[in-house]
Protein backbone atom coordinates (compact mmCIF):
# COMPACT_ATOMS: atom_id res chain seq x y z
CA UNK A 1 0.00 0.00 0.00
CA UNK A 2 1.12 3.50 -0.75
CA UNK A 3 1.70 5.63 2.32
CA UNK A 4 -0.62 8.58 2.57
CA UNK A 5 0.86 11.93 3.53
CA UNK A 6 -0.95 13.45 6.47
CA UNK A 7 -1.26 17.22 5.97
CA UNK A 8 0.05 19.41 8.74
CA UNK A 9 -2.54 20.90 11.00
CA UNK A 10 -3.33 24.52 10.55
CA UNK A 11 -1.52 26.70 13.09
CA UNK A 12 1.21 24.16 13.87
CA UNK A 13 4.46 26.10 14.45
CA UNK A 14 7.29 25.36 12.09
CA UNK A 15 10.58 24.18 13.52
CA UNK A 16 13.32 26.82 13.67
CA UNK A 17 16.16 26.45 11.16
CA UNK A 18 19.24 24.75 12.54
CA UNK A 19 22.89 24.61 11.62
CA UNK A 20 24.93 21.48 10.94
CA UNK A 21 25.35 20.74 14.66
CA UNK A 22 21.61 20.91 15.22
CA UNK A 23 21.58 24.15 17.17
CA UNK A 24 18.81 26.59 16.25
CA UNK A 25 19.89 29.59 14.20
CA UNK A 26 18.46 32.90 15.25
CA UNK A 27 17.27 35.08 12.42
CA UNK A 28 19.28 38.23 11.93
CA UNK A 29 17.55 41.47 12.72
CA UNK A 30 17.59 44.16 10.12
CA UNK A 31 19.77 47.14 11.03
CA UNK A 32 17.58 50.14 11.65
CA UNK A 33 18.64 53.47 10.15
CA UNK A 34 18.56 55.15 13.56
CA UNK A 35 20.83 52.48 15.04
CA UNK A 36 23.25 52.82 12.13
CA UNK A 37 23.40 56.61 12.56
CA UNK A 38 24.01 56.34 16.31
CA UNK A 39 26.73 53.73 15.78
CA UNK A 40 28.43 55.89 13.13
CA UNK A 41 28.36 58.94 15.39
CA UNK A 42 29.74 56.87 18.28
CA UNK A 43 32.64 55.61 16.15
CA UNK A 44 33.32 59.15 14.94
CA UNK A 45 33.45 60.52 18.50
CA UNK A 46 35.69 57.63 19.56
CA UNK A 47 38.03 58.36 16.65
CA UNK A 48 38.21 62.05 17.60
CA UNK A 49 39.25 61.13 21.13
CA UNK A 50 41.67 58.37 20.09
CA UNK A 51 43.48 60.19 17.29
CA UNK A 52 45.62 62.36 19.66
CA UNK A 53 46.75 59.22 21.48
CA UNK A 54 47.55 57.56 18.16
CA UNK A 55 49.60 60.59 17.17
CA UNK A 56 51.39 60.42 20.51
CA UNK A 57 52.33 56.77 19.94
CA UNK A 58 53.52 57.49 16.37
CA UNK A 59 55.66 60.41 17.55
CA UNK A 60 57.09 58.26 20.33
CA UNK A 61 58.26 55.80 17.67
CA UNK A 62 59.86 58.41 15.41
CA UNK A 63 63.65 58.58 15.22
CA UNK A 64 65.22 61.91 16.04
CA UNK A 65 66.12 62.55 12.40
CA UNK A 66 62.46 62.39 11.30
CA UNK A 67 60.81 64.56 13.95
CA UNK A 68 60.42 67.50 11.56
CA UNK A 69 59.19 65.46 8.59
CA UNK A 70 55.74 66.29 7.28
CA UNK A 71 54.78 62.64 6.75
CA UNK A 72 52.25 61.15 9.13
CA UNK A 73 54.13 57.86 9.51
CA UNK A 74 57.92 57.61 9.86
CA UNK A 75 60.03 55.68 7.40
CA UNK A 76 60.99 53.24 10.13
CA UNK A 77 59.88 52.89 13.75
CA UNK A 78 62.44 53.50 16.49
CA UNK A 79 61.36 51.11 19.23
CA UNK A 80 64.61 51.92 21.01
CA UNK A 81 63.12 55.24 22.15
CA UNK A 82 61.29 53.46 24.97
CA UNK A 83 64.46 51.64 25.99
CA UNK A 84 66.53 54.84 25.93
CA UNK A 85 63.95 56.74 28.00
CA UNK A 86 63.81 54.01 30.63
CA UNK A 87 67.58 53.54 30.75
CA UNK A 88 68.92 57.09 30.48
CA UNK A 89 66.48 58.90 32.77
CA UNK A 90 64.88 58.57 36.20
CA UNK A 91 61.59 57.45 34.68
CA UNK A 92 61.60 54.15 36.58
CA UNK A 93 61.98 55.81 39.99
CA UNK A 94 59.49 58.52 39.00
CA UNK A 95 56.94 55.88 38.06
CA UNK A 96 57.48 54.07 41.36
CA UNK A 97 57.00 57.32 43.30
CA UNK A 98 53.80 58.12 41.40
CA UNK A 99 52.38 54.64 42.01
CA UNK A 100 53.11 54.93 45.73
CA UNK A 101 51.66 58.44 45.94
CA UNK A 102 48.50 57.68 43.95
CA UNK A 103 47.88 54.33 45.64
CA UNK A 104 48.69 55.59 49.14
CA UNK A 105 46.56 58.70 48.73
CA UNK A 106 43.60 56.68 47.47
CA UNK A 107 43.86 54.17 50.33
CA UNK A 108 44.17 56.92 52.95
CA UNK A 109 41.20 58.81 51.50
CA UNK A 110 39.01 55.69 51.62
CA UNK A 111 40.04 54.84 55.19
CA UNK A 112 39.00 58.31 56.37
CA UNK A 113 36.14 59.15 54.01
CA UNK A 114 34.06 55.97 54.42
CA UNK A 115 33.56 56.24 58.23
CA UNK A 116 33.11 60.02 58.04
CA UNK A 117 30.56 59.82 55.23
CA UNK A 118 28.70 56.92 56.87
CA UNK A 119 28.42 58.74 60.19
CA UNK A 120 27.31 61.94 58.48
CA UNK A 121 24.66 60.09 56.47
CA UNK A 122 23.23 58.06 59.35
CA UNK A 123 23.50 60.35 62.40
CA UNK A 124 21.47 63.58 62.35
CA UNK A 125 23.74 65.55 64.68
CA UNK A 126 23.70 69.29 65.26
CA UNK A 127 25.79 71.17 62.72
CA UNK A 128 25.59 68.45 60.09
CA UNK A 129 24.70 70.84 57.27
CA UNK A 130 27.42 73.24 58.36
CA UNK A 131 29.95 70.40 58.28
CA UNK A 132 28.93 69.40 54.75
CA UNK A 133 29.11 73.04 53.67
CA UNK A 134 32.62 73.38 55.09
CA UNK A 135 33.62 70.18 53.32
CA UNK A 136 32.37 71.66 50.04
CA UNK A 137 34.09 75.00 50.69
CA UNK A 138 37.48 73.31 51.04
CA UNK A 139 37.21 72.30 47.39
CA UNK A 140 37.45 75.97 46.44
CA UNK A 141 41.06 76.27 47.64
CA UNK A 142 43.68 75.58 45.02
CA UNK A 143 46.84 73.73 46.09
CA UNK A 144 48.95 76.51 44.55
CA UNK A 145 47.56 79.04 47.05
CA UNK A 146 48.82 76.90 49.95
CA UNK A 147 52.19 75.87 48.55
CA UNK A 148 54.25 78.42 50.50
CA UNK A 149 52.71 77.39 53.81
CA UNK A 150 53.02 73.70 53.00
CA UNK A 151 56.65 74.09 51.99
CA UNK A 152 57.56 75.91 55.22
CA UNK A 153 55.66 73.41 57.35
CA UNK A 154 57.22 70.31 55.82
CA UNK A 155 60.64 71.99 55.76
CA UNK A 156 60.45 72.53 59.53
CA UNK A 157 59.34 68.93 60.01
CA UNK A 158 62.18 67.67 57.79
CA UNK A 159 59.76 65.92 55.44
CA UNK A 160 60.75 67.41 52.11
CA UNK A 161 61.65 64.99 49.29
CA UNK A 162 59.52 62.30 50.93
CA UNK A 163 56.87 60.13 49.30
CA UNK A 164 54.73 60.30 52.43
CA UNK A 165 54.61 64.09 52.18
CA UNK A 166 53.04 63.85 48.75
CA UNK A 167 50.68 61.13 49.99
CA UNK A 168 49.43 63.33 52.85
CA UNK A 169 49.01 66.39 50.63
CA UNK A 170 47.15 64.58 47.85
CA UNK A 171 44.93 62.78 50.35
CA UNK A 172 44.09 66.06 52.11
CA UNK A 173 43.09 67.82 48.90
CA UNK A 174 40.91 64.92 47.69
CA UNK A 175 39.33 63.93 51.00
CA UNK A 176 36.52 66.50 50.87
CA UNK A 177 35.24 65.36 47.49
CA UNK A 178 35.25 61.70 48.56
CA UNK A 179 33.28 62.50 51.74
CA UNK A 180 30.73 64.50 49.78
CA UNK A 181 30.21 61.76 47.17
CA UNK A 182 30.02 58.90 49.68
CA UNK A 183 27.62 60.80 51.96
CA UNK A 184 25.16 61.06 49.08
CA UNK A 185 25.46 57.32 48.33
CA UNK A 186 25.08 56.25 51.96
CA UNK A 187 22.05 58.54 52.40
CA UNK A 188 20.32 56.90 49.43
CA UNK A 189 20.57 53.40 50.98
CA UNK A 190 17.55 52.55 53.20
CA UNK A 191 18.48 52.27 56.86
CA UNK A 192 16.00 49.38 57.22
CA UNK A 193 18.50 47.09 55.48
CA UNK A 194 21.03 47.69 58.24
CA UNK A 195 18.41 47.28 60.94
CA UNK A 196 17.41 43.90 59.48
CA UNK A 197 21.06 42.83 59.39
CA UNK A 198 21.57 43.88 63.02
CA UNK A 199 18.47 41.91 64.03
CA UNK A 200 20.10 38.86 62.43
CA UNK A 201 23.12 39.31 64.70
CA UNK A 202 25.42 41.72 62.92
CA UNK A 203 26.78 44.76 64.67
CA UNK A 204 27.02 48.27 63.27
CA UNK A 205 30.41 47.56 61.71
CA UNK A 206 29.27 44.25 60.24
CA UNK A 207 26.19 45.85 58.73
CA UNK A 208 28.38 48.54 57.17
CA UNK A 209 30.86 46.07 55.69
CA UNK A 210 28.43 43.37 54.54
CA UNK A 211 25.29 45.33 53.61
CA UNK A 212 25.81 49.05 53.13
CA UNK A 213 29.28 49.15 51.62
CA UNK A 214 28.55 46.67 48.78
CA UNK A 215 25.46 48.68 47.84
CA UNK A 216 27.50 51.89 47.88
CA UNK A 217 30.26 50.37 45.74
CA UNK A 218 29.56 52.68 42.74
CA UNK A 219 30.24 55.65 45.01
CA UNK A 220 33.40 54.04 46.39
CA UNK A 221 34.65 53.34 42.87
CA UNK A 222 33.88 56.94 41.88
CA UNK A 223 35.91 58.22 44.81
CA UNK A 224 38.75 55.84 43.91
CA UNK A 225 38.81 57.00 40.29
CA UNK A 226 38.80 60.71 41.04
CA UNK A 227 41.34 60.44 43.86
CA UNK A 228 43.71 58.20 41.93
CA UNK A 229 43.58 60.32 38.76
CA UNK A 230 44.00 63.58 40.69
CA UNK A 231 47.05 62.22 42.54
CA UNK A 232 48.45 60.68 39.35
CA UNK A 233 48.23 63.96 37.40
CA UNK A 234 49.36 66.27 40.21
CA UNK A 235 52.30 68.44 39.19
CA UNK A 236 52.70 71.60 41.27
CA UNK A 237 53.06 69.99 44.70
CA UNK A 238 55.44 67.37 43.35
CA UNK A 239 57.59 70.08 41.77
CA UNK A 240 57.67 72.19 44.95
CA UNK A 241 57.93 69.60 47.72
CA UNK A 242 60.34 67.25 45.90
CA UNK A 243 63.59 68.71 44.58
CA UNK A 244 65.59 65.49 44.25
CA UNK A 245 64.99 63.86 40.81
CA UNK A 246 64.69 60.36 42.29
CA UNK A 247 61.88 61.42 44.65
CA UNK A 248 59.84 63.38 42.10
CA UNK A 249 56.60 62.03 40.62
CA UNK A 250 56.15 61.05 37.02
CA UNK A 251 54.61 64.35 35.89
CA UNK A 252 57.69 66.25 37.05
CA UNK A 253 60.03 63.68 35.52
CA UNK A 254 58.32 63.93 32.12
CA UNK A 255 58.63 67.71 32.26
CA UNK A 256 62.42 67.26 32.32
CA UNK A 257 62.39 66.40 28.61
CA UNK A 258 61.33 69.99 27.87
CA UNK A 259 64.46 72.11 27.79
CA UNK A 260 64.98 75.86 27.56
CA UNK A 261 65.71 75.79 23.82
CA UNK A 262 64.80 72.33 22.57
CA UNK A 263 62.14 69.70 23.24
CA UNK A 264 62.90 65.99 22.86
CA UNK A 265 59.50 65.16 21.38
CA UNK A 266 60.18 61.49 20.74
CA UNK A 267 61.37 60.88 24.31
CA UNK A 268 58.65 63.12 25.74
CA UNK A 269 55.88 61.15 24.05
CA UNK A 270 57.56 57.82 24.78
CA UNK A 271 57.53 58.71 28.48
CA UNK A 272 53.91 59.85 28.17
CA UNK A 273 52.91 56.49 26.66
CA UNK A 274 54.58 54.71 29.56
CA UNK A 275 52.77 57.02 32.00
CA UNK A 276 49.26 56.27 30.72
CA UNK A 277 49.62 52.46 30.77
CA UNK A 278 48.92 52.03 34.55
CA UNK A 279 45.86 54.29 34.31
CA UNK A 280 44.47 52.28 31.39
CA UNK A 281 45.02 49.06 33.33
CA UNK A 282 43.24 50.55 36.36
CA UNK A 283 40.21 51.51 34.31
CA UNK A 284 40.15 48.09 32.65
CA UNK A 285 39.78 46.47 36.09
CA UNK A 286 37.48 49.07 37.66
CA UNK A 287 34.99 49.34 34.79
CA UNK A 288 33.67 45.85 35.50
CA UNK A 289 33.05 46.73 39.13
CA UNK A 290 31.32 49.98 38.19
CA UNK A 291 28.90 48.23 35.84
CA UNK A 292 28.20 45.40 38.29
CA UNK A 293 27.61 47.90 41.09
CA UNK A 294 25.24 50.02 39.04
CA UNK A 295 23.18 47.03 37.89
CA UNK A 296 23.11 45.24 41.28
CA UNK A 297 19.54 44.69 42.40
CA UNK A 298 18.00 45.80 39.11
CA UNK A 299 16.81 42.23 38.29
CA UNK A 300 15.25 39.91 40.84
Amino acid sequence: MAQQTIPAAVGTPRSAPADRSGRPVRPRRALRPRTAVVAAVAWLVAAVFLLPYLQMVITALRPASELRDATYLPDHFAWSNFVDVWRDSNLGSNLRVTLLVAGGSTLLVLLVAIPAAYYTARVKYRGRKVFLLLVLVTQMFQPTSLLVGLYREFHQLGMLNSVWTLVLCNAAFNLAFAIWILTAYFSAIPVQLEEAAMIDGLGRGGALLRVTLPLAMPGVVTAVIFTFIAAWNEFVMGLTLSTVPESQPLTVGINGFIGNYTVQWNYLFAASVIAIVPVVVLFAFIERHVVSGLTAGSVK
Side-chain angles (χ1 to χ4, degrees):
M1 289 179 65
Q3 295 182 354
Q4 296 181 356
T5 304
I6 301 175
V10 178
T12 302
R14 297 180 179 179
S15 59
D19 56 8
R20 295 180 178 180
S21 60
R23 293 177 298 182
V25 178
R26 296 182 180 180
R28 295 182 178 180
R29 296 182 180 180
L31 185 62
R32 298 180 180 179
R34 181 179 178 181
T35 305
V37 172
V38 172
V41 172
W43 279 106
L44 179 61
V45 173
V48 170
F49 280 97
L50 291 177
L51 277 178
Y53 294 96
L54 179 61
Q55 180 63 41
M56 180 177 64
V57 174
I58 293 174
T59 307
L61 294 173
R62 281 184 180 272
S65 58
E66 300 182 21
L67 287 176
R68 297 184 180 273
D69 292 350
T71 58
Y72 189 79
L73 294 175
D75 294 335
H76 66 279
F77 295 100
W79 297 95
S80 59
N81 289 341
F82 293 94
V83 179
D84 296 339
V85 164
W86 190 267
R87 181 189 58 197
D88 300 335
S89 66
N90 296 314
L91 195 64
S93 59
N94 297 145
L95 180 60
R96 179 183 59 84
V97 170
T98 302
L99 287 173
L100 291 175
V101 170
S105 301
T106 304
L107 181 60
L108 183 59
V109 165
L110 290 181
L111 291 177
V112 178
I114 289 177
Y118 178 76
Y119 184 84
T120 304
R122 287 291 183 257
V123 180
K124 307 300 180 182
Y125 57 89
R126 182 178 298 179
R128 176 175 175 270
K129 294 183 178 180
V130 177
F131 171 74
L132 290 176
L133 181 61
L134 291 176
V135 168
L136 187 61
V137 167
T138 57
Q139 291 295 103
M140 301 179 183
F141 294 98
Q142 292 292 331
T144 53
S145 62
L146 304 175
L147 275 179
V148 176
L150 289 174
Y151 182 85
R152 294 184 60 182
E153 181 178 355
F154 286 113
H155 176 70
Q156 294 176 358
L157 295 174
M159 294 181 62
L160 293 178
N161 300 319
S162 175
V163 174
W164 304 113
T165 300
L166 298 178
V167 169
L168 291 175
C169 290
N170 283 281
F173 282 106
N174 292 286
L175 181 60
F177 177 80
I179 292 177
W180 186 269
I181 289 294
L182 291 176
T183 300
Y185 271 90
F186 285 140
S187 300
I189 298 174
V191 69
Q192 290 80 7
L193 297 177
E194 298 177 10
E195 294 175 350
M198 288 187 285
I199 290 176
D200 292 338
L202 290 177
R204 175 69 68 176
L208 170 62
L209 294 177
R210 297 188 180 184
V211 178
T212 308
L213 200 57
L215 294 177
M217 192 55 63
V220 175
V221 173
T222 302
V224 168
I225 291 175
F226 277 91
T227 303
F228 189 89
I229 296 300
W232 187 272
N233 295 328
E234 203 284 320
F235 173 76
V236 178
M237 285 190 297
L239 181 64
T240 305
L241 301 178
S242 296
T243 57
V244 180
E246 291 77 11
S247 63
Q248 291 176 337
L250 195 59
T251 52
V252 182
I254 292 176
N255 188 64
F257 294 102
I258 302 176
N260 293 329
Y261 304 101
T262 59
V263 179
Q264 297 173 304
W265 292 109
N266 50 347
Y267 294 150
L268 176 65
F269 283 114
S272 300
V273 171
I274 296 174
I276 67 174
V277 170
V279 180
V280 173
V281 173
L282 173 67
F283 272 94
F285 281 100
I286 284 185
E287 181 186 6
R288 175 167 52 89
H289 296 285
V290 174
V291 174
S292 62
L294 290 175
T295 58
S298 59
V299 180
K300 293 185 179 180

